[in-house]
Amino acid sequence: MNETEFVIEPGRQDIVVKRVFDASPDVVFQAFTDPKLIPNWWGPRRYSTVVDRAEVHSGGAWRFINRDAEGNDYGFHGVYHEVAAPQRIVQTFEFEGMPRHVALETATFEEVDGKTRYVGTSVFQSVEDRDGMVQSGMEEGSRETMDRLAEVVATL
Amino acid sequence: MNETEFVIEPGRQDIVVKRVFDASPDVVFQAFTDPKLIPNWWGPRRYSTVVDRAEVHSGGAWRFINRDAEGNDYGFHGVYHEVAAPQRIVQTFEFEGMPRHVALETATFEEVDGKTRYVGTSVFQSVEDRDGMVQSGMEEGSRETMDRLAEVVATL
């Protein structure tokens, strides 16, 4: 299985996640955006994911919920600035457990030798917000999410 | 008249603009968001401003046009992640003349001794994007915009 790479440089406000998926951008984009598929990969495995809102078009809104085994809900929401299938998504991101800390996320899907090179960049409002996200265990969660996404892609 | 302050540190991805307005947050927020007032202050004086779209609520979209004396149009657009009157607006920002370069903008309005302390933070997708915005003369344009906003506030 391909490895997920992270670029997290000291003093910067961003986190970059890279991964190669063994399918075309059309397929990866479908897995990434289809509200029926999102619960199968979005977030760590220990949560179930509920898609509360997924208006996957420029100007639309999204809200997903991670639910743990005890029934606790963790909400996330944002708006889509741009959805350009199958190349690019630009959206905002806010974890409702830490309100008023918003990130700008850019996902790009590039075809390379029949595979898809995914690059996800999250830019935070401050270095402190970025560092807090890293310390919260984001890297482990993101790696698991990317592995799950690869599994969904493999089924399409 | 109050001065506009800028915080633009080397190697960072953000630009911070600060200004004190001589009115309550309610009044400043109104000037900032009322589509009828936006053309009176948004952008440098040498352009006229057309409000093409201003859905000023969380999840809404916006698009403004700067028009020069020769009739050339310069479009800007984004989505509102959060509109919380009169304290806070979080939105995306894209200049259509440089497509696919998006910023996340956070505006806060805080009451201090009957006046309003405005802090506007723009976070860019890269240091290069941030530096490009600075080199394009953003500081001069932003200073003029803040002066114009103060003039509109004074009329309310």
Side-chain angles (χ1 to χ4, degrees):
Chain A
M1 183 171 284
N2 283 295
E3 285 299 314
T4 302
E5 295 169 54
F6 295 87
V7 182
I8 304 172
E9 294 175 4
R12 280 183 64 104
Q13 285 157 266
D14 59 0
I15 294 170
V16 181
V17 180
K18 299 179 183 180
R19 173 89 182 212
V20 175
F21 294 100
D22 194 7
S24 70
D26 279 330
V27 169
V28 178
F29 197 91
Q30 183 197 348
F32 207 88
T33 56
D34 185 334
K36 292 189 299 296
L37 298 175
I38 288 168
N40 297 340
W41 65 269
W42 201 90
R45 294 183 200 275
R46 67 182 180 279
Y47 299 114
S48 61
T49 297
V50 177
V51 174
D52 179 43
R53 198 170 176 184
E55 302 156 7
V56 191
H57 55 82
S58 303
W62 65 272
R63 183 169 187 267
F64 305 157
I65 298 159
N66 272 175
R67 183 166 293 163
D68 68 16
E70 289 76 43
N72 299 306
D73 279 354
Y74 303 92
F76 302 82
H77 73 267
V79 284
Y80 295 106
H81 174 86
E82 183 187 8
V83 178
Q87 295 100 1
R88 180 179 164 87
I89 298 171
V90 182
Q91 65 184 53
T92 59
F93 173 98
E94 181 172 351
F95 168 43
E96 295 168 8
M98 196 183 282
R100 293 180 300 284
H101 295 266
V102 183
L104 179 68
E105 299 193 325
T106 304
T108 60
F109 306 86
E110 185 192 1
E111 203 253 288
V112 179
D113 299 333
K115 301 186 178 188
T116 298
R117 178 146 191 86
Y118 163 83
V119 179
T121 305
S122 297
V123 186
F124 296 82
Q125 289 162 310
S126 66
V127 175
E128 296 69 30
D129 276 9
R130 198 285 303 259
D131 289 349
M133 179 62 85
V134 173
Q135 283 155 17
S136 77
M138 164 270 166
E139 201 168 327
E140 185 191 348
S142 183
R143 200 180 297 275
E144 204 169 329
T145 290
M146 289 290 108
D147 287 347
R148 297 182 73 192
L149 181 55
E151 291 164 19
V152 171
V153 165
T155 67
L156 299 178
Chain B
M1 182 170 280
N2 284 295
E3 286 298 317
T4 302
E5 295 169 54
F6 295 88
V7 182
I8 304 172
E9 294 175 4
R12 280 182 64 103
Q13 285 157 266
D14 59 0
I15 294 171
V16 182
V17 180
K18 299 179 183 180
R19 173 88 183 213
V20 175
F21 294 99
D22 195 6
S24 71
D26 279 331
V27 169
V28 178
F29 196 91
Q30 184 197 348
F32 207 88
T33 55
D34 184 335
K36 294 189 299 297
L37 298 174
I38 288 168
N40 297 340
W41 65 269
W42 201 90
R45 295 184 201 275
R46 67 182 179 280
Y47 299 115
S48 61
T49 298
V50 177
V51 173
D52 179 44
R53 197 170 177 186
E55 302 157 4
V56 190
H57 54 82
S58 304
W62 66 272
R63 183 169 187 267
F64 305 156
I65 298 159
N66 272 176
R67 184 166 293 163
D68 69 15
E70 289 77 42
N72 299 307
D73 280 355
Y74 304 92
F76 302 82
H77 73 267
V79 284
Y80 295 107
H81 174 86
E82 184 187 9
V83 178
Q87 294 101 0
R88 179 179 165 88
I89 299 171
V90 181
Q91 65 185 54
T92 59
F93 173 98
E94 181 171 351
F95 169 43
E96 294 168 9
M98 195 181 284
R100 293 180 300 285
H101 295 266
V102 184
L104 179 68
E105 299 193 325
T106 305
T108 60
F109 305 86
E110 185 193 1
E111 203 252 288
V112 179
D113 300 333
K115 300 186 178 188
T116 297
R117 179 146 191 83
Y118 163 83
V119 179
T121 305
S122 297
V123 186
F124 297 82
Q125 289 162 309
S126 65
V127 175
E128 296 68 31
D129 277 9
R130 198 285 304 258
D131 290 348
M133 179 62 85
V134 173
Q135 282 155 17
S136 76
M138 164 271 164
E139 202 168 326
E140 185 191 349
S142 182
R143 201 180 296 277
E144 204 169 328
T145 289
M146 289 290 108
D147 287 347
R148 298 183 74 193
L149 181 55
E151 292 164 19
V152 171
V153 165
T155 68
L156 298 178

